[in-house]
Amino acid sequence: MQEYEEVKEKMRFDHEEIKKKFMEGIDQLAKRMKKVKTKLAVMSGKGGVGKSTVSGLLAVHYGKNGYKTGIMDCDFWGSSIPRIFGVESKRPVVREDGIEPVHTDKWGIAVMSIQFFLPSPESPLAWRGPLVSGVIRDMLAKTEWGELDYLIFDLPPGTGDVPLTILQEVRPNGVILVATPQELTATIVEKSLKLAQDLNTAIVGLVENMSYYECPQCGHREYIFGKGRVAEMASKYRIEFFLELPIDPALTRLCDSGKIELYEIDPFEFFPI
């Protein structure tokens, strides 16, 4: 609980009522998060690198190994977690003591997303960053996650309001960074890496998505965008766990059809956390 007291001490308010409501929200958030053993944030400085896919695969890894797992979709502008898990049509149950999250069919992964509260999947969310951060804080404080072994935060791209809110107020146990092989993307990802370091959050993994294509006939791997960059970055920043995820049409089809839980390959099999 001490880290949440530190958060409150650093905040400054011009209006006493706003301060009171904020403090109440932080206290409730702390109570919810106290029931979570391990919190992991998946982030990148750039969009379109596959953070949601990586978050989903990580959640499936824990779920199939018998851990009580939850995933918080923090990318309000590009929400895709409900779709890849096939729970778009479900709705959270709102009770007096909080909101009961949606659960996936196969592994019972708890899912929370703003997408569940929008009129349709196509409805745009024209909200500015500070408003989104406040809603995320409120959703986390009111969601009855229960006792969880792991809670994964799928963050929007960049180093703005939402990643700051999660890193500063939730204080995850670690961050997993997602990149693609292109050098520009790697450079942008390093911004997120340094943000996490500045906020004293451990970098526990580095994933290079769309790293290569493996021929289904002969097994030959073609590194279309270049090879070895993820290993170089992991070595540079002393990140022990790094992973190359291939371009896999089977995974793409399963995500598009809401069946990521059926993906047979577990890329996080040797993830140490």
Side-chain angles (χ1 to χ4, degrees):
M1 299 288 283
Q2 182 179 355
E3 63 266 30
Y4 296 99
E5 295 302 321
E6 292 174 1
V7 168
K8 292 194 290 185
E9 282 295 322
K10 293 177 182 178
M11 303 305 293
R12 297 292 181 267
F13 298 90
D14 296 326
H15 194 283
E16 193 62 32
E17 186 62 27
I18 295 176
K19 178 180 179 180
K20 180 182 177 182
K21 289 182 178 180
F22 182 87
M23 296 308 181
E24 289 174 352
I26 287 290
D27 288 339
Q28 184 63 30
L29 173 60
K31 291 177 182 178
R32 299 289 190 194
M33 293 299 101
K34 190 178 180 181
K35 296 180 180 181
V36 181
K37 292 180 181 178
T38 304
K39 303 179 289 290
L40 297 171
V42 178
M43 64 184 297
S44 174
K46 188 178 186 300
V49 298
K51 290 184 300 301
S52 295
T53 300
V54 171
S55 298
L57 289 172
L58 185 60
V60 170
H61 161 73
Y62 290 130
K64 69 166 53 175
N65 281 285
Y67 294 105
K68 294 179 180 178
T69 306
I71 185 166
M72 175 70 189
D73 182 5
C74 299
D75 191 354
F76 278 28
W77 299 280
S79 177
S80 56
I81 291 298
R83 179 180 180 183
I84 68 175
F85 279 98
V87 293
E88 283 180 298
S89 61
K90 295 186 178 182
R91 291 292 178 268
V93 178
V94 180
R95 308 184 190 279
E96 287 187 9
D97 58 341
I99 306 171
E100 183 180 330
V102 163
H103 289 82
T104 63
D105 294 331
K106 188 171 180 62
W107 302 118
I109 298 167
V111 180
M112 181 53 70
S113 172
I114 191 65
Q115 192 68 49
F116 296 133
F117 302 97
L118 298 180
S120 71
E122 297 79 24
S123 299
L125 198 68
W127 293 357
R128 297 187 186 276
L131 176 57
V132 172
S133 293
V135 173
I136 285 176
R137 185 186 300 115
D138 198 45
M139 287 176 66
L140 281 171
K142 292 180 178 178
T143 299
E144 182 49 71
W145 298 98
E147 302 282 346
L148 288 181
D149 295 305
Y150 293 92
L151 179 56
I152 299 159
F153 298 86
D154 179 30
L155 301 184
T159 54
D161 295 289
V162 175
L164 279 171
T165 296
I166 297 300
L167 295 184
Q168 289 181 319
E169 298 181 25
V170 174
R171 299 293 184 91
N173 299 86
V175 164
I176 297 170
L177 294 169
V178 184
T180 53
Q182 295 93 325
E183 189 171 354
L184 175 61
T185 305
T187 302
I188 293 173
V189 166
E190 287 184 297
K191 296 180 185 292
S192 294
L193 188 150
K194 291 177 179 178
L195 173 68
Q197 289 180 333
D198 289 344
L199 295 174
N200 298 315
T201 307
I203 308 296
V204 296
L206 178 60
V207 177
E208 184 178 79
N209 195 24
M210 296 176 276
S211 185
Y212 59 88
Y213 176 74
E214 184 171 292
C215 176
Q217 273 73 44
C218 67
H220 170 72
R221 290 185 178 184
E222 186 66 38
Y223 287 83
I224 303 169
F225 305 110
K227 182 180 179 181
R229 294 195 177 104
V230 65
E232 291 173 6
M233 192 185 299
S235 176
K236 178 179 178 180
Y237 290 100
R238 299 180 181 179
I239 303 171
E240 293 186 8
F241 180 86
F242 63 91
L243 179 68
E244 292 181 344
L245 276 183
I247 299 170
D248 188 348
L251 176 58
T252 301
R253 287 193 294 269
L254 288 173
C255 288
D256 286 345
S257 60
K259 298 177 180 178
I260 191 172
E261 290 179 293
L262 299 182
Y263 191 56
E264 295 181 355
I265 300 171
D266 183 1
F268 287 97
E269 181 180 0
F270 300 107
F271 189 49
I273 296 179

mmCIF file of all heavy atoms in Angstrom, residues 26-61:
data_model
loop_
_atom_site.group_PDB
_atom_site.id
_atom_site.type_symbol
_atom_site.label_atom_id
_atom_site.label_comp_id
_atom_site.label_asym_id
_atom_site.label_seq_id
_atom_site.Cartn_x
_atom_site.Cartn_y
_atom_site.Cartn_z
ATOM 1 N N ILE A 26 -8.000 6.505 -5.469
ATOM 2 C CA ILE A 26 -6.698 5.869 -5.273
ATOM 3 C C ILE A 26 -6.773 4.799 -4.194
ATOM 4 O O ILE A 26 -6.214 3.702 -4.327
ATOM 5 C CB ILE A 26 -5.629 6.929 -4.909
ATOM 6 C CG1 ILE A 26 -5.277 7.763 -6.146
ATOM 7 C CG2 ILE A 26 -4.376 6.264 -4.358
ATOM 8 C CD1 ILE A 26 -4.503 7.024 -7.212
ATOM 9 N N ASP A 27 -7.500 5.094 -3.109
ATOM 10 C CA ASP A 27 -7.638 4.119 -2.024
ATOM 11 C C ASP A 27 -8.362 2.860 -2.508
ATOM 12 O O ASP A 27 -7.980 1.733 -2.175
ATOM 13 C CB ASP A 27 -8.398 4.735 -0.844
ATOM 14 C CG ASP A 27 -7.568 5.767 -0.092
ATOM 15 O OD1 ASP A 27 -6.333 5.712 -0.209
ATOM 16 O OD2 ASP A 27 -8.159 6.619 0.592
ATOM 17 N N GLN A 28 -9.426 3.059 -3.285
ATOM 18 C CA GLN A 28 -10.180 1.916 -3.808
ATOM 19 C C GLN A 28 -9.327 1.121 -4.797
ATOM 20 O O GLN A 28 -9.352 -0.115 -4.803
ATOM 21 C CB GLN A 28 -11.466 2.396 -4.489
ATOM 22 C CG GLN A 28 -12.375 1.277 -4.978
ATOM 23 C CD GLN A 28 -12.897 0.415 -3.839
ATOM 24 O OE1 GLN A 28 -13.081 0.876 -2.727
ATOM 25 N NE2 GLN A 28 -13.132 -0.857 -4.121
ATOM 26 N N LEU A 29 -8.565 1.848 -5.632
ATOM 27 C CA LEU A 29 -7.665 1.196 -6.580
ATOM 28 C C LEU A 29 -6.639 0.345 -5.841
ATOM 29 O O LEU A 29 -6.354 -0.799 -6.226
ATOM 30 C CB LEU A 29 -6.963 2.252 -7.440
ATOM 31 C CG LEU A 29 -5.860 1.766 -8.385
ATOM 32 C CD1 LEU A 29 -6.396 0.765 -9.385
ATOM 33 C CD2 LEU A 29 -5.222 2.947 -9.104
ATOM 34 N N ALA A 30 -6.094 0.890 -4.756
ATOM 35 C CA ALA A 30 -5.097 0.167 -3.972
ATOM 36 C C ALA A 30 -5.682 -1.121 -3.404
ATOM 37 O O ALA A 30 -5.018 -2.165 -3.394
ATOM 38 C CB ALA A 30 -4.571 1.053 -2.842
ATOM 39 N N LYS A 31 -6.931 -1.071 -2.943
ATOM 40 C CA LYS A 31 -7.579 -2.252 -2.386
ATOM 41 C C LYS A 31 -7.762 -3.337 -3.448
ATOM 42 O O LYS A 31 -7.560 -4.524 -3.190
ATOM 43 C CB LYS A 31 -8.931 -1.875 -1.776
ATOM 44 C CG LYS A 31 -8.831 -1.034 -0.512
ATOM 45 C CD LYS A 31 -10.201 -0.632 0.001
ATOM 46 C CE LYS A 31 -10.101 0.257 1.233
ATOM 47 N NZ LYS A 31 -11.436 0.704 1.715
ATOM 48 N N ARG A 32 -8.160 -2.916 -4.649
ATOM 49 C CA ARG A 32 -8.334 -3.896 -5.731
ATOM 50 C C ARG A 32 -6.993 -4.523 -6.116
ATOM 51 O O ARG A 32 -6.880 -5.736 -6.285
ATOM 52 C CB ARG A 32 -8.943 -3.210 -6.958
ATOM 53 C CG ARG A 32 -10.308 -2.593 -6.743
ATOM 54 C CD ARG A 32 -11.407 -3.608 -6.587
ATOM 55 N NE ARG A 32 -12.716 -2.973 -6.621
ATOM 56 C CZ ARG A 32 -13.846 -3.555 -6.259
ATOM 57 N NH1 ARG A 32 -13.833 -4.791 -5.827
ATOM 58 N NH2 ARG A 32 -14.999 -2.901 -6.316
ATOM 59 N N MET A 33 -5.974 -3.672 -6.286
ATOM 60 C CA MET A 33 -4.679 -4.149 -6.760
ATOM 61 C C MET A 33 -3.954 -4.991 -5.712
ATOM 62 O O MET A 33 -3.075 -5.778 -6.037
ATOM 63 C CB MET A 33 -3.806 -2.968 -7.182
ATOM 64 C CG MET A 33 -4.313 -2.217 -8.408
ATOM 65 S SD MET A 33 -4.394 -3.244 -9.913
ATOM 66 C CE MET A 33 -6.169 -3.628 -9.983
ATOM 67 N N LYS A 34 -4.338 -4.821 -4.447
ATOM 68 C CA LYS A 34 -3.721 -5.607 -3.384
ATOM 69 C C LYS A 34 -4.025 -7.096 -3.552
ATOM 70 O O LYS A 34 -3.267 -7.962 -3.089
ATOM 71 C CB LYS A 34 -4.216 -5.118 -2.017
ATOM 72 C CG LYS A 34 -3.457 -5.695 -0.832
ATOM 73 C CD LYS A 34 -3.968 -5.120 0.483
ATOM 74 C CE LYS A 34 -3.201 -5.707 1.673
ATOM 75 N NZ LYS A 34 -3.689 -5.176 2.966
ATOM 76 N N LYS A 35 -5.123 -7.405 -4.263
ATOM 77 C CA LYS A 35 -5.516 -8.792 -4.475
ATOM 78 C C LYS A 35 -4.826 -9.421 -5.681
ATOM 79 O O LYS A 35 -5.041 -10.598 -5.975
ATOM 80 C CB LYS A 35 -7.032 -8.884 -4.658
ATOM 81 C CG LYS A 35 -7.841 -8.460 -3.433
ATOM 82 C CD LYS A 35 -9.335 -8.588 -3.714
ATOM 83 C CE LYS A 35 -10.164 -8.181 -2.514
ATOM 84 N NZ LYS A 35 -11.617 -8.319 -2.784
ATOM 85 N N VAL A 36 -4.032 -8.630 -6.384
ATOM 86 C CA VAL A 36 -3.330 -9.120 -7.578
ATOM 87 C C VAL A 36 -1.869 -9.395 -7.226
ATOM 88 O O VAL A 36 -1.155 -8.505 -6.767
ATOM 89 C CB VAL A 36 -3.401 -8.095 -8.728
ATOM 90 C CG1 VAL A 36 -2.679 -8.644 -9.959
ATOM 91 C CG2 VAL A 36 -4.861 -7.766 -9.051
ATOM 92 N N LYS A 37 -1.417 -10.609 -7.449
ATOM 93 C CA LYS A 37 -0.044 -10.971 -7.082
ATOM 94 C C LYS A 37 0.987 -10.301 -8.006
ATOM 95 O O LYS A 37 1.991 -9.771 -7.543
ATOM 96 C CB LYS A 37 0.115 -12.490 -7.132
ATOM 97 C CG LYS A 37 -0.675 -13.227 -6.064
ATOM 98 C CD LYS A 37 -0.466 -14.731 -6.181
ATOM 99 C CE LYS A 37 -1.284 -15.473 -5.122
ATOM 100 N NZ LYS A 37 -1.135 -16.953 -5.257
ATOM 101 N N THR A 38 0.735 -10.353 -9.321
ATOM 102 C CA THR A 38 1.703 -9.816 -10.287
ATOM 103 C C THR A 38 0.991 -8.995 -11.340
ATOM 104 O O THR A 38 0.026 -9.460 -11.950
ATOM 105 C CB THR A 38 2.493 -10.951 -10.967
ATOM 106 O OG1 THR A 38 3.136 -11.757 -9.968
ATOM 107 C CG2 THR A 38 3.555 -10.386 -11.903
ATOM 108 N N LYS A 39 1.474 -7.776 -11.560
ATOM 109 C CA LYS A 39 0.896 -6.881 -12.562
ATOM 110 C C LYS A 39 1.951 -6.609 -13.639
ATOM 111 O O LYS A 39 3.079 -6.224 -13.327
ATOM 112 C CB LYS A 39 0.446 -5.569 -11.916
ATOM 113 C CG LYS A 39 -0.543 -5.762 -10.785
ATOM 114 C CD LYS A 39 -0.959 -4.451 -10.152
ATOM 115 C CE LYS A 39 0.150 -3.817 -9.331
ATOM 116 N NZ LYS A 39 0.431 -4.599 -8.080
ATOM 117 N N LEU A 40 1.575 -6.828 -14.901
ATOM 118 C CA LEU A 40 2.500 -6.648 -16.016
ATOM 119 C C LEU A 40 1.894 -5.720 -17.059
ATOM 120 O O LEU A 40 0.719 -5.874 -17.430
ATOM 121 C CB LEU A 40 2.832 -7.990 -16.661
ATOM 122 C CG LEU A 40 3.569 -9.016 -15.774
ATOM 123 C CD1 LEU A 40 3.630 -10.361 -16.473
ATOM 124 C CD2 LEU A 40 4.955 -8.526 -15.424
ATOM 125 N N ALA A 41 2.669 -4.753 -17.533
ATOM 126 C CA ALA A 41 2.211 -3.814 -18.557
ATOM 127 C C ALA A 41 2.908 -4.119 -19.875
ATOM 128 O O ALA A 41 4.127 -4.333 -19.907
ATOM 129 C CB ALA A 41 2.504 -2.378 -18.128
ATOM 130 N N VAL A 42 2.135 -4.162 -20.951
ATOM 131 C CA VAL A 42 2.678 -4.376 -22.292
ATOM 132 C C VAL A 42 2.602 -3.047 -23.030
ATOM 133 O O VAL A 42 1.520 -2.481 -23.187
ATOM 134 C CB VAL A 42 1.889 -5.468 -23.049
ATOM 135 C CG1 VAL A 42 2.441 -5.651 -24.459
ATOM 136 C CG2 VAL A 42 1.938 -6.791 -22.268
ATOM 137 N N MET A 43 3.755 -2.540 -23.482
ATOM 138 C CA MET A 43 3.765 -1.202 -24.069
ATOM 139 C C MET A 43 4.776 -1.081 -25.204
ATOM 140 O O MET A 43 5.642 -1.936 -25.380
ATOM 141 C CB MET A 43 4.049 -0.148 -22.990
ATOM 142 C CG MET A 43 5.395 -0.228 -22.336
ATOM 143 S SD MET A 43 5.619 0.972 -20.974
ATOM 144 C CE MET A 43 5.467 2.540 -21.846
ATOM 145 N N SER A 44 4.627 -0.005 -25.951
ATOM 146 C CA SER A 44 5.544 0.316 -27.035
ATOM 147 C C SER A 44 5.405 1.794 -27.351
ATOM 148 O O SER A 44 4.363 2.397 -27.089
ATOM 149 C CB SER A 44 5.232 -0.508 -28.293
ATOM 150 O OG SER A 44 6.042 -0.084 -29.367
ATOM 151 N N GLY A 45 6.442 2.369 -27.915
ATOM 152 C CA GLY A 45 6.372 3.776 -28.297
ATOM 153 C C GLY A 45 5.639 3.982 -29.607
ATOM 154 O O GLY A 45 5.386 5.112 -30.008
ATOM 155 N N LYS A 46 5.275 2.908 -30.287
ATOM 156 C CA LYS A 46 4.680 3.017 -31.621
ATOM 157 C C LYS A 46 3.467 2.118 -31.738
ATOM 158 O O LYS A 46 3.416 1.046 -31.129
ATOM 159 C CB LYS A 46 5.721 2.625 -32.682
ATOM 160 C CG LYS A 46 5.290 2.890 -34.114
ATOM 161 C CD LYS A 46 6.384 2.514 -35.078
ATOM 162 C CE LYS A 46 6.006 2.924 -36.501
ATOM 163 N NZ LYS A 46 4.768 2.259 -36.960
ATOM 164 N N GLY A 47 2.489 2.556 -32.516
ATOM 165 C CA GLY A 47 1.305 1.751 -32.760
ATOM 166 C C GLY A 47 1.521 0.751 -33.877
ATOM 167 O O GLY A 47 2.467 0.853 -34.660
ATOM 168 N N GLY A 48 0.657 -0.240 -33.946
ATOM 169 C CA GLY A 48 0.699 -1.201 -35.034
ATOM 170 C C GLY A 48 1.773 -2.260 -34.923
ATOM 171 O O GLY A 48 2.085 -2.933 -35.907
ATOM 172 N N VAL A 49 2.349 -2.415 -33.722
ATOM 173 C CA VAL A 49 3.408 -3.413 -33.577
ATOM 174 C C VAL A 49 2.892 -4.724 -32.998
ATOM 175 O O VAL A 49 3.640 -5.702 -32.906
ATOM 176 C CB VAL A 49 4.562 -2.876 -32.699
ATOM 177 C CG1 VAL A 49 5.195 -1.658 -33.333
ATOM 178 C CG2 VAL A 49 4.082 -2.557 -31.283
ATOM 179 N N GLY A 50 1.628 -4.757 -32.581
ATOM 180 C CA GLY A 50 1.045 -6.004 -32.088
ATOM 181 C C GLY A 50 1.026 -6.145 -30.580
ATOM 182 O O GLY A 50 1.095 -7.254 -30.053
ATOM 183 N N LYS A 51 0.883 -5.029 -29.872
ATOM 184 C CA LYS A 51 0.847 -5.100 -28.402
ATOM 185 C C LYS A 51 -0.329 -5.931 -27.911
ATOM 186 O O LYS A 51 -0.191 -6.707 -26.960
ATOM 187 C CB LYS A 51 0.766 -3.682 -27.814
ATOM 188 C CG LYS A 51 2.021 -2.854 -27.973
ATOM 189 C CD LYS A 51 1.896 -1.512 -27.291
ATOM 190 C CE LYS A 51 0.750 -0.686 -27.842
ATOM 191 N NZ LYS A 51 0.865 -0.418 -29.289
ATOM 192 N N SER A 52 -1.492 -5.761 -28.526
ATOM 193 C CA SER A 52 -2.675 -6.505 -28.073
ATOM 194 C C SER A 52 -2.507 -8.007 -28.302
ATOM 195 O O SER A 52 -2.918 -8.822 -27.463
ATOM 196 C CB SER A 52 -3.926 -5.997 -28.795
ATOM 197 O OG SER A 52 -4.198 -4.666 -28.446
ATOM 198 N N THR A 53 -1.900 -8.375 -29.414
ATOM 199 C CA THR A 53 -1.641 -9.788 -29.677
ATOM 200 C C THR A 53 -0.695 -10.363 -28.641
ATOM 201 O O THR A 53 -0.912 -11.454 -28.105
ATOM 202 C CB THR A 53 -1.045 -9.978 -31.087
ATOM 203 O OG1 THR A 53 -1.968 -9.476 -32.061
ATOM 204 C CG2 THR A 53 -0.781 -11.447 -31.366
ATOM 205 N N VAL A 54 0.365 -9.609 -28.334
ATOM 206 C CA VAL A 54 1.321 -10.057 -27.318
ATOM 207 C C VAL A 54 0.649 -10.148 -25.950
ATOM 208 O O VAL A 54 0.842 -11.121 -25.212
ATOM 209 C CB VAL A 54 2.539 -9.106 -27.267
ATOM 210 C CG1 VAL A 54 3.437 -9.429 -26.072
ATOM 211 C CG2 VAL A 54 3.332 -9.202 -28.563
ATOM 212 N N SER A 55 -0.171 -9.148 -25.607
ATOM 213 C CA SER A 55 -0.903 -9.181 -24.336
ATOM 214 C C SER A 55 -1.808 -10.400 -24.278
ATOM 215 O O SER A 55 -1.895 -11.082 -23.241
ATOM 216 C CB SER A 55 -1.741 -7.907 -24.174
ATOM 217 O OG SER A 55 -0.940 -6.751 -24.137
ATOM 218 N N GLY A 56 -2.499 -10.673 -25.377
ATOM 219 C CA GLY A 56 -3.389 -11.830 -25.432
ATOM 220 C C GLY A 56 -2.647 -13.141 -25.288
ATOM 221 O O GLY A 56 -3.076 -14.031 -24.550
ATOM 222 N N LEU A 57 -1.512 -13.269 -25.976
ATOM 223 C CA LEU A 57 -0.716 -14.496 -25.888
ATOM 224 C C LEU A 57 -0.175 -14.702 -24.477
ATOM 225 O O LEU A 57 -0.109 -15.834 -23.981
ATOM 226 C CB LEU A 57 0.439 -14.447 -26.893
ATOM 227 C CG LEU A 57 0.058 -14.576 -28.367
ATOM 228 C CD1 LEU A 57 1.274 -14.303 -29.241
ATOM 229 C CD2 LEU A 57 -0.521 -15.951 -28.672
ATOM 230 N N LEU A 58 0.205 -13.609 -23.823
ATOM 231 C CA LEU A 58 0.705 -13.709 -22.448
ATOM 232 C C LEU A 58 -0.404 -14.163 -21.500
ATOM 233 O O LEU A 58 -0.198 -15.019 -20.634
ATOM 234 C CB LEU A 58 1.273 -12.365 -22.012
ATOM 235 C CG LEU A 58 1.954 -12.301 -20.633
ATOM 236 C CD1 LEU A 58 3.134 -13.263 -20.569
ATOM 237 C CD2 LEU A 58 2.400 -10.881 -20.327
ATOM 238 N N ALA A 59 -1.601 -13.594 -21.679
ATOM 239 C CA ALA A 59 -2.743 -13.992 -20.855
ATOM 240 C C ALA A 59 -3.101 -15.462 -21.077
ATOM 241 O O ALA A 59 -3.395 -16.202 -20.120
ATOM 242 C CB ALA A 59 -3.948 -13.104 -21.159
ATOM 243 N N VAL A 60 -3.066 -15.905 -22.339
ATOM 244 C CA VAL A 60 -3.355 -17.313 -22.650
ATOM 245 C C VAL A 60 -2.301 -18.222 -22.017
ATOM 246 O O VAL A 60 -2.621 -19.300 -21.497
ATOM 247 C CB VAL A 60 -3.412 -17.518 -24.177
ATOM 248 C CG1 VAL A 60 -3.471 -19.007 -24.520
ATOM 249 C CG2 VAL A 60 -4.627 -16.799 -24.765
ATOM 250 N N HIS A 61 -1.053 -17.792 -22.055
ATOM 251 C CA HIS A 61 0.034 -18.559 -21.428
ATOM 252 C C HIS A 61 -0.265 -18.829 -19.953
ATOM 253 O O HIS A 61 -0.150 -19.967 -19.478
ATOM 254 C CB HIS A 61 1.349 -17.792 -21.569
ATOM 255 C CG HIS A 61 2.420 -18.213 -20.612
ATOM 256 N ND1 HIS A 61 3.109 -19.415 -20.747
ATOM 257 C CD2 HIS A 61 2.918 -17.607 -19.492
ATOM 258 C CE1 HIS A 61 3.984 -19.527 -19.752
ATOM 259 N NE2 HIS A 61 3.892 -18.452 -18.981
#
